[in-house]
């Protein structure tokens, strides 16, 4: 049983309760999400061979603090960094360190900034120098899968419609969808109702209603969908060591469709597509 309630007062996640936000909530999400998108735009100019992910993490932290924002992952459940950096076969939650990026790597950078108590959450893929055609195609399919999910994000559809659209496109391209991690509601909470699966059956799950705010963040593997968590308790990798990619937007459902809060101000959400 799912209930929808007007979002007001102190935010608290309650199973089966989906908050519906008004214009004030959407305005706050625009502000937080734009800053997140600006930070990811900034990082585009620094992802290159020889740069460490620790250096990228510091850039993101310094940007956040210069703009009176707080990285949501910093000290979240013991995590000690401002971004997640997932390289090659790392599916998600990769930890920044001092190892330099290498020519041909692909890396997902996931960033959430808190602005005035609201969370803007997004991630993108970055190519390190020249990458292989299979890596390039995986990134293309991942962005196409997100677009398929976004096309289904409109009032009257269901969360299952989003997942089914993503799964159908990804599997038609002979890639697989990770099942272990999902999109999620957000706003004044980092993770709220509902969960957004990136696979599923059309017509199932909660109905999408104007005022819902959530992320869509498919993780797509070149090989099989299975993952494992490393001993650090955070880093998820593909079990078969094949490449993985992810991209993520925070969106709000409107009366006629959806609004993407985390669109790139520079038009480079997909940096590969923006290359000359």
């Amino acid at each position: 049983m799912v209930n929808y309630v007007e979002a007001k007062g102190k935010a608290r996640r309650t199973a089966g309760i989906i908050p519906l936000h008004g214009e004030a909530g959407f305005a706050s999400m625009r502000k937080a999400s734009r800053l997140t998108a600006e930070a990811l735009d900034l990082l585009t100019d620094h992802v290159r061979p020889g740069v460490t992910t620790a250096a990228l993490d510091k850039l993101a932290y310094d940007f956040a603090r210069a703009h009176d924002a707080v990285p949501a992952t910093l000290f979240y459940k013991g995590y000690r960094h401002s971004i997640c950096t997932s390289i090659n076969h790392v599916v998600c939650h990769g930890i920044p360190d001092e190892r330099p990026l290498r020519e041909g790597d692909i890396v997902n950078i996931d960033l959430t900034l808190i602005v005035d108590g609201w969370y803007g959450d997004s991630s993108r893929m970055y190519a390190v120098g020249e990458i292989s055609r299979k890596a390039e195609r995986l990134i293309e399919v991942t962005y196409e899968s997100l677009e398929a999910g976004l096309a289904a994000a409109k009032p009257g559809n269901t969360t299952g419609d989003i997942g089914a659209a993503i799964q159908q496109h990804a599997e038609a391209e002979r890639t697989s969808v990770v099942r272990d991690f999902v999109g999620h509601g957000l706003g004044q909470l980092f993770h709220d109702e509902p969960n957004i699966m990136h696979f599923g059956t059309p017509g199932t799950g909660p109905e999408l209603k104007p005022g819902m705010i959530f992320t869509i963040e498919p993780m797509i593997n070149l090989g099989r969908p299975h993952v494992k968590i490393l001993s650090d308790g955070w880093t998820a990798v593909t079990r078969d060591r094949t490449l993985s990619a992810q991209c993520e937007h925070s969106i709000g459902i409107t009366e006629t469709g959806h609004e993407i809060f985390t669109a790139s101000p520079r038009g480079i959400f997909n940096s590969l597509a923006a290359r000359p």
Side-chain angles (χ1 to χ4, degrees), residues 3 6-8 12 21 25 36 43 53 65 103 108 127-128 165-166 175 182 219 233 243 255 262:
N3 292 309
E6 179 184 351
K8 58 183 179 180
R12 182 181 65 180
H21 299 267
T36 296
L43 293 176
T53 49
R65 300 312 297 146
E103 183 86 15
N108 175 271
V128 183
I166 291 168
T175 60
V182 299
M219 302 169 200
L243 293 175
E255 294 290 341
T262 45

Side-chain angles (χ1 to χ4, degrees), residues 24-166:
F26 272 50
S28 295
M29 281 300 298
R30 290 183 197 114
K31 184 177 178 181
S33 299
R34 181 180 174 86
L35 196 65
T36 296
E38 289 177 359
L40 292 174
D41 279 358
L42 170 71
L43 293 176
T44 302
D45 302 326
H46 297 272
V47 176
R48 56 181 181 266
V51 174
T52 68
T53 49
L56 298 175
D57 183 65
K58 186 175 188 306
L59 280 169
Y61 175 80
D62 290 345
F63 177 90
R65 300 312 297 146
H67 292 83
D68 297 320
V70 177
T73 56
L74 192 60
F75 305 120
Y76 176 76
K77 296 185 177 180
Y79 192 80
R80 302 181 64 83
H81 303 274
S82 299
I83 59 176
C84 295
T85 50
S86 302
I87 303 170
N88 296 334
H89 71 288
V90 178
V91 175
C92 62
H93 303 157
I95 301 173
D97 59 28
E98 297 295 339
R99 288 173 291 183
L101 294 169
R102 299 181 298 179
E103 183 86 15
D105 284 341
I106 60 173
V107 56
N108 175 271
I109 299 179
D110 193 345
L111 172 65
T112 304
L113 293 183
I114 309 171
V115 179
D116 298 332
W118 291 79
Y119 291 73
D121 189 1
S122 186
S123 81
R124 303 181 193 174
M125 292 303 300
Y126 299 80
V128 183
E130 295 298 319
I131 62 175
S132 67
R133 177 53 189 154
K134 69 178 181 180
E136 190 175 70
R137 183 58 187 146
L138 173 64
I139 293 173
E140 290 171 353
V141 171
T142 302
Y143 278 92
E144 291 164 0
S145 297
L146 175 60
E147 289 294 332
L150 288 169
K154 54 188 177 182
N157 277 2
T158 68
T159 57
D161 291 322
I162 294 174
I166 291 168

